[in-house]
Amino acid sequence: MQREPSTELRAAQALAWPGFILDLQRGDLLDAAGQPVELRAQALKLLLILGERAGEVVGKDELMRRVWGDVVVTEDSLVQAIGDIRRTIGDETHTRVVTAPRRGYRLVAEPVSTATGAAAPAGWPPLLPPPPADRARTGGLWSWPTAAGVLLLLVAVATVGWRAAADASAEAPPRSLAILPFESEDGTDAWFVDGVASDLGAIVATWPGATVVGRGTMAAYKGRAVDPRRVGAELGVRHVLTGRARRDGDDVRLAVSLVDTRSGRVVWSELRDVRRAELAALVGDVAGGIARTLVVEYGDAVAADASALAPNGVQADDLAMQGMAELLRTVSRAGWERAAGLFDAALAIDPDCVRCLAGASLTHSNLVLWEWTADRPASVARAEQALARLDALAADRLLAKLSHASLANVHRDWPGLLAIGDQLVAQFPNEPTSHHHRCSALVRLGRFDDSLAACDRAMRISPRDSRLTVWQGLSGWAHYLAGRPAAAEAMLRPSVLANPRVPFYGVVLAAAVAEQGRRGEATAVLQQTRARHPGYSLATIRGYWVAGDPRFVAGRDRLLQVAAVLGLPA
């Protein structure tokens, strides 16, 4: 018989367990210091629903209906969201979010009465001061006995970790895959090893029948000795590919293994020695082996050119791999300028190098988009010239389509960007950037809910991606434009906290807070944003966020009006 939750638990305004507090009034998950915890929107909404009915089982159908609404999703989406919650709160033993087999899930937590002042967080998030009644409270949330409990919990987690890993991966879709960053052998350059793994990931991204974790999320595992079973538990995938690469002059050795994360058993492996010029064909062969093992429709998954590169092509491709490593490492002007130099040097050696042309086009487009170029017309022309040559050589490659999307963004061709995004999703459904471009286009076309679905898909494919803050920011912007300031705040707050280098989302967060009646807090948010970006203004927003859809224009103008009242200069 299912036990009934206590009256105290039903009436709680907040729930807690060691290290976290779920504030049901504000709709936030906070850590012990009162800082908002980064969690995907759907996962947070799911956690809040479970919190509303803490102590009782909430059915799967109800959870899917309330979280995803009219969006058609499979039960895999629910399983992934539950996995996100468990990973975030450290519930590897599944004792906080308990699975009721074939029925649903139950949240186990301790009630916290924020109204009476009991057990309030030690500190509130710097961008979200407590309401006046809470400001006089002192004292921390966690006492020494509680801290000892946390330590005991960590020991317990370490003891039962392998069993939890097996349980989590048993729930994963059978055709799900994560590619760990490849290891380097005998001093082989990291950029070369990363390039090989990236090429393989680009092919795997074309498989519509598989669930593949985005490479941005997998980058977090680089340099870490992790068991594939652990990765399976953390990411909710059934298979993990590990690999090692060695480069010795013109000779390349590649060793890969596909591991079943439930048992740790290697289900397929390959060890190959080839000449550097034949690397593309080898990567295609590896993709074919994975495809056959996972029973994925193979089709023309081996999109890589099987012909050998000429000697100068090898040298150019090496430089391009280094350029791609710089381009993808982080969002920074210095890094992208270094990447541009490497691509230019590569093209001087081989003007028909596909990776070099794509890298040059992408880098110059992004320098324009981020306003990090001293000569905008020259950068646009360079991106267009490289793409024109790329189209003549390999128009169907992923990198070519991504380059087209970046230039459409530069030219503010939102219908064109959406069309490219649709093509990308059709051809590369497991590449998060495909969905990113659709999200970006749809928000400017006034299709705000469609935009949210696209960004959510990118976040589900790669939940630990370096671009996660961008997707959260776009989602918050879409909510704001649609007139949902509370939902906007929920998405924008983690984005602004994690990436304060982008001033726009700080302005939108301030406006969303103001529209909920918290004027003082909104002013403080905007002041913090202006302190980091003193030159940012209303004119900057008008110049960047340009679109013709009347719904978009109305929402943007509303933002400008609120931001002006809060103190953003003209």
Side-chain angles (χ1 to χ4, degrees):
M1 173 183 280
Q2 178 184 323
R3 69 176 182 84
E4 283 290 318
S6 67
T7 304
E8 182 184 19
L9 195 57
R10 285 184 184 275
Q13 296 173 319
L15 301 167
W17 49 90
F20 298 92
I21 186 166
L22 182 64
D23 192 325
L24 297 173
Q25 280 190 313
R26 288 196 171 94
D28 267 330
L29 176 65
L30 309 174
D31 62 20
Q35 301 293 328
V37 176
E38 194 168 305
L39 191 61
R40 285 193 305 119
Q42 284 73 17
L44 178 59
K45 187 173 183 179
L46 177 61
L47 181 58
L48 290 168
I49 293 169
L50 291 172
E52 292 171 2
R53 294 168 56 182
E56 63 179 285
V57 174
V58 185
K60 294 180 181 180
D61 290 342
E62 178 182 348
L63 290 170
M64 292 174 69
R65 184 183 70 253
R66 293 183 63 185
V67 173
W68 285 275
D70 294 331
V71 178
V72 178
V73 297
T74 66
E75 192 172 314
D76 289 343
S77 298
L78 177 60
V79 171
Q80 289 178 13
I82 290 292
D84 286 351
I85 295 169
R86 285 169 170 163
R87 285 190 292 274
T88 299
I89 66 176
D91 183 28
E92 296 187 14
T93 57
H94 299 188
T95 54
R96 300 295 177 185
V97 182
V98 179
T99 301
R102 295 181 297 279
R103 289 191 295 157
Y105 298 90
R106 174 169 58 89
L107 183 68
V108 177
E110 296 299 323
V112 177
S113 176
T114 56
T116 61
W124 290 82
L127 297 180
L128 180 56
D134 294 333
R135 293 180 193 225
R137 298 191 193 123
T138 58
L141 173 61
W142 309 118
S143 61
W144 158 244
T146 306
V150 172
L151 179 61
L152 291 173
L153 175 62
L154 293 174
V155 173
V157 165
T159 304
V160 302
W162 297 126
R163 185 182 66 189
D167 291 344
S169 36
E171 298 177 356
R175 298 179 184 178
S176 51
L177 173 69
I179 302 176
L180 279 170
F182 285 5
E183 297 176 15
S184 174
E185 287 191 354
D186 298 335
T188 299
D189 290 321
W191 55 261
F192 177 79
V193 177
D194 291 344
V196 175
S198 179
D199 287 351
L200 180 60
I203 295 175
V204 173
T206 66
W207 297 346
T211 300
V212 184
V213 178
R215 61 181 179 273
T217 288
M218 299 312 299
Y221 290 93
K222 187 170 179 61
R224 294 168 52 189
V226 291
D227 190 294
R229 291 172 290 179
R230 176 70 64 187
V231 177
E234 291 179 353
L235 300 180
V237 293
R238 185 69 60 83
H239 297 89
V240 167
L241 184 77
T242 66
R244 304 187 313 276
R246 184 175 71 194
R247 172 87 174 273
D248 183 11
D250 289 334
D251 295 320
V252 176
R253 166 168 287 188
L254 181 62
V256 294
S257 297
L258 189 65
V259 180
D260 186 318
T261 58
R262 297 167 300 175
S263 63
R265 182 174 64 89
V266 175
V267 295
W268 172 82
S269 63
E270 183 89 2
L271 174 63
R272 293 275 294 278
D273 292 295
V274 298
R275 303 289 287 175
R276 169 63 179 85
E278 300 167 354
L279 180 61
L282 173 57
V283 170
D285 289 346
V286 169
I290 300 169
R292 287 187 293 273
T293 304
L294 296 185
V295 200
V296 175
E297 181 64 31
Y298 187 38
D300 57 351
V302 183
D305 184 1
S307 62
L309 293 172
N312 65 328
V314 169
Q315 185 181 1
D317 199 45
D318 280 353
L319 287 171
M321 279 188 172
Q322 296 176 55
M324 284 295 181
E326 287 285 358
L327 181 62
L328 298 174
R329 180 173 293 121
T330 185
V331 177
S332 73
R333 180 173 186 169
W336 289 357
E337 287 176 341
R338 285 193 298 271
L342 287 164
F343 292 129
D344 287 344
L347 287 169
I349 298 169
D350 181 4
D352 291 338
C353 166
V354 169
R355 196 194 309 266
C356 315
L357 290 164
S361 184
L362 285 166
T363 303
H364 285 284
S365 291
N366 278 286
L367 286 170
V368 171
L369 288 170
W370 287 78
E371 300 180 345
W372 286 340
T373 175
D375 190 343
R376 178 188 173 95
S379 293
V380 172
R382 186 74 182 96
E384 290 176 337
Q385 291 165 3
L387 181 54
R389 183 59 186 156
L390 179 60
D391 278 341
L393 296 169
D396 289 334
R397 295 284 184 88
L398 172 63
L399 287 173
K401 293 186 181 296
L402 293 178
S403 299
H404 274 285
S406 290
L407 269 173
N409 209 329
V410 167
H411 294 306
R412 295 168 178 169
D413 177 10
W414 311 128
L417 180 60
L418 178 58
I420 296 167
D422 289 341
Q423 293 172 15
L424 281 164
V425 169
Q427 190 172 353
F428 304 97
N430 294 305
E431 169 54 56
T433 314
S434 304
H435 304 276
H436 168 104
H437 286 307
R438 290 193 77 251
C439 177
S440 184
L442 287 163
V443 75
R444 290 164 167 99
L445 293 170
R447 295 169 55 183
F448 306 130
D449 288 339
D450 290 340
S451 174
L452 287 165
C455 262
D456 178 67
R457 179 61 180 148
M459 288 187 279
R460 279 188 284 145
I461 292 173
S462 193
R464 301 182 187 180
D465 202 287
S466 61
R467 296 164 294 178
L468 181 64
T469 58
V470 176
W471 301 331
Q472 291 171 326
L474 279 170
S475 297
W477 180 218
H479 276 303
Y480 182 86
L481 290 167
R484 299 187 286 258
E489 180 188 357
M491 292 302 299
L492 289 162
R493 190 169 294 282
S495 175
V496 172
L497 287 172
N499 188 10
R501 291 178 297 177
V502 182
F504 175 71
Y505 296 129
V507 176
V508 184
L509 174 60
V513 171
E515 290 189 9
Q516 296 175 75
R518 309 201 308 271
R519 171 71 178 273
E521 181 188 342
T523 302
V525 172
L526 185 62
Q527 288 174 346
Q528 292 180 28
T529 300
R530 290 191 62 196
R532 289 189 292 262
H533 307 277
Y536 203 70
S537 67
L538 298 173
T540 310
I541 296 174
R542 288 193 193 94
Y544 184 83
W545 289 98
V546 177
D549 181 84
R551 292 161 296 184
F552 177 89
V553 173
R556 183 202 59 197
D557 289 350
R558 188 177 86 252
L559 170 71
L560 293 171
Q561 291 170 4
V562 176
V565 171
L566 293 175
L568 189 66

